[in-house]
Amino acid sequence: MHSPLPLFDTDALRTLETRGTAFLDGDAFALMARAGQAGWRSVLKHWPQAQRIAVACGPGNNGGDGYVLARHAQDSGRSVQVLRLQPPATPLAQRACDEYLAAGGQVAESIDALRDADLVVDALFGIGLSRAPDAEATMLIEAINAHPAPLLALDVPSGIDAVRGCALGAAIAADRTLQFIARHRGLRTGVAIDHAGELELATLELPAPLFDGIDAAALAYRHDALHGFFPLRPRDSHKGRNGHVLCVGGDAGSGGAVLLAADAALHCGAGLVSVATRMGHVPALLARRPEAMAHAVDHAEQLAPLLERADVIAIGPGLGQGEWGRMLFDAVLACDKPRVFDADALNLLARSSRRLTECDVLTPHPGEAGRLLGIATAGVQRDRFAASQALVERYGAQVVLKGAGSIVASPGAPPAVICAGNPGMAVGGMGDLLTGCIAAVLAQGFASRDAAIAGALLHASAGDAAARVDGERGLLPSDLLPWLRRLANPMRR
């Protein structure tokens, strides 16, 4: 099983920098020298043909890293231009600048220095940036982003908050970001994903014991962690051992949503799947998916025996917020089975003061999360980690905050970031599919946190696998179904 990658916040990184300096006999410049040299190695590895390199250096130690890189490029015979808006403002950055100039380097303060570059390096602002770049820096960032040359960011794309993952204002859109010492939490969710590009790590050759006592601020789950969640089934398995999922939803005109949830639950391995929906959807559902047990439900009394037989309830896809949807929602809310809430079930929950249990899972997109918290969608996206944790504290359940770099937040555990998925999945019905995935995994006996992580990772990985076949644009939820089954099954030796 591949373990998740630990992600760290700024406080942890500052501590690691301090420990790294102590490890190097108190020589902070030695650490900067390693960072700059690691940046130059990244240039040689990914852009060995680059001959004209522009390095944008800020006044702080991130700029110092850039000066060191520029000196290595200068020593190798490349044509180098350092572009800066301000002179160095720290002793370390000043020393790095002096060594670069002593090697024959040149410094410019005009954007024209970018003109002929076939590679641009961003060393403007590091992890300490806490406000939007000023007007002059904004002009430079926009000019760098408009330049056709590839762009390498050192440690963090300038303008991106390395903890929250939001853009503080104008922000560098890099092709690759080389992180130093440890991986940053904020670069794997929200708008930061588009700004960071490909992520790379340079540990600066610091020993692992330096991390002792420093807790990860989050855990990153990639495709390779998937099969660690899904063991081979015993040869004597039967349907009763694999759980019974009841999908509740599908008001008039929205029958496809609850069908997608049921389809996903079946493809992810639930032993039995029932559907409680409107009478008008039953024939179509049976024609499309005869393996699902479809029930027409008009009254709460008709839902009660279905709730009793099920192990897990998935509610929300196509539910609506009318009288019928509210009636079924109230019945499920009174049930003591593990539940997955999505779509209109979340909107109805937002009107309720009801607290849930740790066995339950909420799967909001940012708009639904905003309604659950009583804040604007932009507020959710400004700090997705804080928003997901606030939902956990308010409702007491597992939370899957959907979007680029979905976050799984749980009571008493570090958040998990799902490092999979693609823009093609931004289409109606994908959330219904996720609901069925998580419900199926829950029904198979997974702990609620593991079910939320495994279901979200399986869903995102299936989306990536399907997109590799025919591309992202035009990807349909139903395209994921065969991949859900394939990826949920480890190879039998």
Side-chain angles (χ1 to χ4, degrees):
M1 175 178 177
H2 291 269
S3 300
L5 299 175
L7 307 177
F8 296 89
D9 59 20
T10 300
D11 289 341
L13 288 161
R14 294 295 191 206
T15 300
L16 289 166
E17 287 178 355
T18 300
R19 292 182 179 183
T21 298
F23 172 75
L24 296 172
D25 299 322
D27 188 352
F29 188 76
L31 195 63
M32 177 176 285
R34 290 189 179 193
Q37 187 176 49
W40 175 236
R41 289 194 188 115
S42 182
V43 170
L44 292 175
K45 178 179 179 180
H46 300 290
W47 301 281
Q49 75 288 352
Q51 295 298 317
R52 299 180 302 278
I53 301 173
V55 185
C57 291
N61 287 343
N62 189 245
D65 300 336
Y67 285 115
V68 175
L69 184 154
R71 178 175 58 79
H72 284 292
Q74 180 81 17
D75 291 344
S76 73
R78 304 301 204 273
S79 174
V80 184
Q81 281 276 14
V82 165
L83 173 60
R84 71 184 188 192
L85 300 178
Q86 303 172 47
T90 70
L92 294 177
Q94 185 64 61
R95 178 177 170 183
C97 177
D98 291 344
E99 292 189 1
Y100 164 68
L101 293 174
Q106 297 180 346
V107 172
E109 295 183 356
S110 168
I111 292 175
D112 290 341
L114 294 171
R115 182 179 303 157
D116 298 324
D118 50 21
L119 176 68
V120 180
V121 178
D122 161 38
L124 288 172
F125 307 115
I127 60 175
L129 186 68
S130 59
R131 56 182 174 79
D134 62 22
E136 193 175 18
T138 294
M139 287 182 60
L140 177 55
I141 289 171
E142 291 174 347
I144 291 173
N145 286 341
H147 197 282
L151 176 52
L152 170 66
L154 298 185
D155 210 19
V156 175
S158 294
I160 292 295
D161 188 306
V163 175
R164 295 180 293 168
C166 63
L168 299 171
I172 288 291
D175 295 286
R176 177 173 292 272
T177 297
L178 177 64
Q179 302 162 98
F180 296 136
I181 303 179
R183 297 174 177 87
H184 303 299
R185 185 180 82 164
L187 298 189
R188 295 174 183 266
T189 192
V191 299
I193 294 176
D194 280 326
H195 289 266
E198 296 294 322
L199 291 174
E200 190 175 358
L201 175 66
T203 64
L204 307 188
E205 302 175 29
L206 297 179
L210 263 63
F211 286 79
D212 289 350
I214 299 178
D215 294 329
L219 300 172
Y221 286 83
R222 304 175 298 177
H223 298 113
D224 56 15
L226 187 60
H227 282 169
F229 283 107
F230 295 98
L232 291 168
R233 284 180 172 176
R235 302 306 293 176
D236 67 342
S237 289
H238 56 80
K239 62 187 178 184
R241 291 175 62 173
N242 297 317
H244 184 170
V245 174
L246 171 63
C247 299
V248 181
D251 200 354
S254 299
V258 74
L259 172 56
L260 283 170
D263 246 345
L266 286 164
H267 281 80
C268 291
L272 295 166
V273 175
S274 296
V275 180
T277 188
R278 288 285 198 180
M279 170 66 81
H281 297 140
V282 170
L285 196 151
L286 291 176
R288 162 68 184 269
R289 185 56 62 205
E291 295 88 349
M293 297 173 285
H295 302 269
V297 173
D298 293 318
H299 306 289
E301 294 77 13
Q302 295 171 303
L303 186 62
L306 303 180
L307 293 173
E308 180 64 28
R309 289 196 293 269
D311 297 308
V312 174
I313 318 301
I315 181 167
L319 182 69
Q321 300 179 59
E323 182 179 352
W324 183 79
R326 293 196 304 272
M327 170 192 67
L328 299 184
F329 173 79
D330 289 341
V332 171
L333 208 56
C335 174
D336 62 357
K337 304 286 181 71
R339 300 158 295 189
V340 182
F341 294 84
D342 184 38
D344 280 322
L346 295 171
N347 293 324
L348 291 170
L349 183 63
R351 304 175 192 171
S352 166
S353 58
R354 180 70 176 268
R355 189 170 173 84
L356 305 177
T357 75
E358 291 189 20
C359 295
D360 297 319
V361 182
L362 308 182
T363 63
H365 59 57
E368 291 161 343
R371 287 190 283 278
L372 287 164
L373 292 172
I375 63 176
T377 302
V380 173
Q381 293 295 79
R382 208 163 21 246
D383 193 339
R384 288 168 54 79
F385 288 100
S388 59
Q389 186 59 38
L391 287 169
V392 169
E393 292 170 2
R394 177 168 295 191
Y395 293 99
Q398 313 295 320
V399 173
V400 181
L401 178 56
K402 297 184 288 195
S406 293
I407 295 173
V408 181
S410 307
V417 185
I418 306 301
C419 299
N422 63 81
M425 300 175 72
V427 62
M430 282 293 180
D432 306 319
L433 217 63
L434 175 62
T435 301
C437 290
I438 295 173
V441 180
L442 261 178
Q444 291 170 73
F446 282 58
S448 54
R449 173 176 165 82
D450 288 343
I453 295 172
L457 182 59
L458 177 59
H459 176 258
S461 298
D464 287 342
R468 282 194 292 270
V469 176
D470 293 313
E472 295 175 358
R473 187 173 281 109
L475 184 66
L476 299 178
S478 54
D479 295 334
L480 274 61
L481 293 172
W483 290 104
L484 291 175
R485 180 185 174 191
R486 291 172 196 172
L487 294 176
N489 283 283
M491 297 295 292
R492 186 177 291 277
R493 292 177 183 239

